[in-house]
Amino acid sequence: MKVLVVLALAIATVSAGVMPQDVAVHPRDMPAESTIDGRITNGRTASEGQFPYQLGLSFSSSSGSWWCGGSLIDNSYVLTAAHCTSGASSVKIYYGALQRTNAKLTQTVSSSNFKQHTGYNSVTLKNDISLIKTPAVTFTAYVNKIMLPPIASSYSTYEGQRATASGWGKISDNASGVTNVLQYQIFDIVSVATCQSYYGSQTASSSVICIATPNKSSTCSGDSGGPLVLDSTGRLVGVTSFVAAVGCEAGKPSGFTRVTSYLDWIRDNSGVSY
C-alpha cells in the first residue's frame, strides 16, 4: 500500500510539471522507534509559560492513539492538522504544559467537535488543517491564544524570515529514549520554489510554508499540527504538516500548512477572525 501511495504522489506531481526529488510524509506517519512523546530534533528546551498557545493533543481511536500539537486561537478553538484529527474518535487536550502530560488544565472532547477541512488529501497532503471546538477556557500567563496573521500578509512569501516551531516531537530519527519537556527551535523560511524542488508542486503548493532544517534540527514525529510562529510579528503562520520520508535529520525542508491561505475557512468555521 505504501508503494501505491508513493507512486500516486509521483504521478500526480509529474502531471503538474514538477518532478520531486523526495517523498513527503506527515510526521505522524513516520516509523515509531519509541513512544509518541519526544521533542523537536536538536531543539532547545522551553521554559514554563514561554509558549502559552502551545497545546498537547492525545488522539484516540478504535485502532490506537497518537500524539500531536495544536495552537490555541481563541478561548474555545484549537487549530491543528487534518492528519491529526483524521480517524480519531476523541482527543484529550493538554493546556499550559511544559512537561507533556503535566498540564495546567485538561479537556477531553469527541470527534463531533472536530472540523476537518473537507478538501484534505492524504496522498498529496493538501488542505492539512482542522479545527477543534472546546469548552471555553480562561486565559492565564500559561494558557493564552495566539493571534492569526492579518489578511494583508496573504501574499507575503515570508522567504528569508525567521520563525519558531515548538512541540514534543522526537529527539532524533532513531530515538529510543525520549524527553517529555517541550522543545522549540528557530528556523529560516525558504521559498515555495525551493520546497517544490524537493517535493514537487502538488505537495509544496502555494498553500504551504517550508523551513530549512540545517544541523539535523527539524520538526519530527509528535510535532504534527503544532505551531510555526513568525518571529517578527509573533503571529501564527504555519501548522506542522510534513517532513521528508527519509528522516527528520536528513536536512530536507519541513512543510507547514500556510495559515493565511485558510483565514476565511477558519473564520467561517469558528468565527475567529484575523
Side-chain angles (χ1 to χ4, degrees):
M1 179 60 72
K2 183 176 181 180
V3 173
L4 293 177
V5 169
V6 171
L7 178 60
L9 178 57
I11 291 172
T13 308
V14 169
S15 67
V18 179
M19 183 64 188
Q21 299 178 26
D22 300 281
V23 175
V25 296
H26 293 314
R28 171 188 160 189
D29 297 329
M30 298 189 73
E33 297 291 337
S34 57
T35 54
I36 55 177
D37 52 343
R39 64 179 183 181
I40 286 176
T41 59
N42 296 288
R44 310 177 189 182
T45 300
S47 58
E48 193 168 24
Q50 185 175 358
F51 301 105
Y53 52 82
Q54 171 81 53
L55 303 176
L57 305 176
S58 181
F59 289 93
S60 298
S61 74
S62 58
S63 58
S65 61
W66 54 93
W67 180 268
C68 282
S71 300
L72 188 62
I73 61 168
D74 183 71
N75 67 351
S76 58
Y77 275 98
V78 177
L79 191 66
T80 189
H83 77 267
C84 289
T85 58
S86 182
S89 57
S90 66
V91 62
K92 185 173 183 179
I93 305 169
Y94 295 83
Y95 296 83
L98 180 59
Q99 299 283 337
R100 183 174 62 85
T101 57
N102 186 16
K104 304 297 183 185
L105 169 72
T106 62
Q107 294 180 340
T108 300
V109 299
S110 72
S111 59
S112 62
N113 294 293
F114 299 172
K115 184 63 180 183
Q116 183 172 300
H117 198 291
T118 56
Y120 169 60
N121 186 313
S122 61
V123 176
T124 64
L125 318 186
K126 280 188 173 180
N127 301 311
D128 188 19
I129 193 166
S130 283
L131 286 160
I132 301 172
K133 182 173 174 55
T134 72
V137 298
T138 300
F139 294 147
T140 68
Y142 304 103
V143 179
N144 211 330
K145 69 178 182 179
I146 186 164
M147 297 294 291
L148 299 175
I151 192 68
S153 64
S154 292
Y155 298 103
S156 174
T157 64
Y158 300 123
E159 182 182 358
Q161 296 192 53
R162 310 203 82 191
T164 298
S166 52
W168 290 271
K170 286 173 60 177
I171 184 174
S172 67
D173 287 326
N174 62 352
S176 56
V178 295
T179 177
N180 281 325
V181 184
L182 182 64
Q183 299 286 300
Y184 73 99
Q185 189 56 279
I186 301 169
F187 299 95
D188 291 322
I189 296 174
V190 299
S191 68
V192 173
T194 296
C195 206
Q196 287 176 347
S197 71
Y198 287 90
Y199 306 118
S201 55
Q202 285 291 300
T203 294
S205 69
S206 59
S207 297
V208 163
I209 291 176
C210 289
I211 58 170
T213 61
N215 305 316
K216 297 185 177 182
S217 184
S218 176
T219 50
C220 203
S221 181
D223 291 321
S224 289
L228 181 71
V229 175
L230 198 66
D231 286 0
S232 62
T233 64
R235 297 203 178 210
L236 181 69
V237 294
V239 175
T240 304
S241 179
F242 62 84
V243 294
V246 293
C248 306
E249 297 180 274
K252 314 292 186 181
S254 292
F256 299 76
T257 304
R258 182 187 171 103
V259 174
T260 55
S261 297
Y262 298 92
L263 289 173
D264 288 345
W265 179 86
I266 293 170
R267 179 200 62 204
D268 292 347
N269 288 283
S270 69
V272 180
S273 59
Y274 35 84

